Amino acid sequence: MKIFGERLKEIRTEKHLKQTDIAKILNVSGNTVHAWETDKQEPSLTTLLKLSELLEVSTDYLLGKTDY
């Protein structure tokens, strides 16, 4: 799932969001968001769905299944 962290960081920065912004919205720690972006941890399915809605991308895109 290495592509997940790269895509999460890319989209987050494109939307001018900080890791702490994502953390507050999803009610997780900043360290958790950092762990996702560095592929040291994976979000739960529920959190993945929330991330895709927040970032306005599909879960398939975040997971590297599609390129759009």
Side-chain angles (χ1 to χ4, degrees):
M1 198 166 165
K2 287 194 172 215
I3 199 160
F4 173 78
E6 293 172 15
R7 289 198 172 173
L8 175 58
K9 184 175 182 178
E10 176 186 343
I11 298 162
R12 177 183 59 76
T13 55
E14 284 176 7
K15 295 197 175 276
H16 306 286
L17 294 168
K18 299 176 186 172
Q19 287 180 345
T20 54
D21 297 329
I22 300 284
K24 286 179 186 175
I25 293 167
L26 297 177
N27 198 30
V28 298
S29 73
N31 288 337
T32 297
V33 177
H34 175 75
W36 294 338
E37 289 187 359
T38 55
D39 294 308
K40 293 180 180 170
Q41 188 176 347
E42 297 175 354
S44 68
L45 179 57
T46 303
T47 303
L48 178 63
L49 291 170
K50 289 178 184 177
L51 274 170
S52 73
E53 290 174 8
L54 172 66
L55 300 173
E56 301 175 316
V57 295
S58 70
T59 54
D60 282 349
Y61 178 78
L62 284 172
L63 296 172
K65 300 290 184 184
T66 63
D67 289 329
Y68 53 89

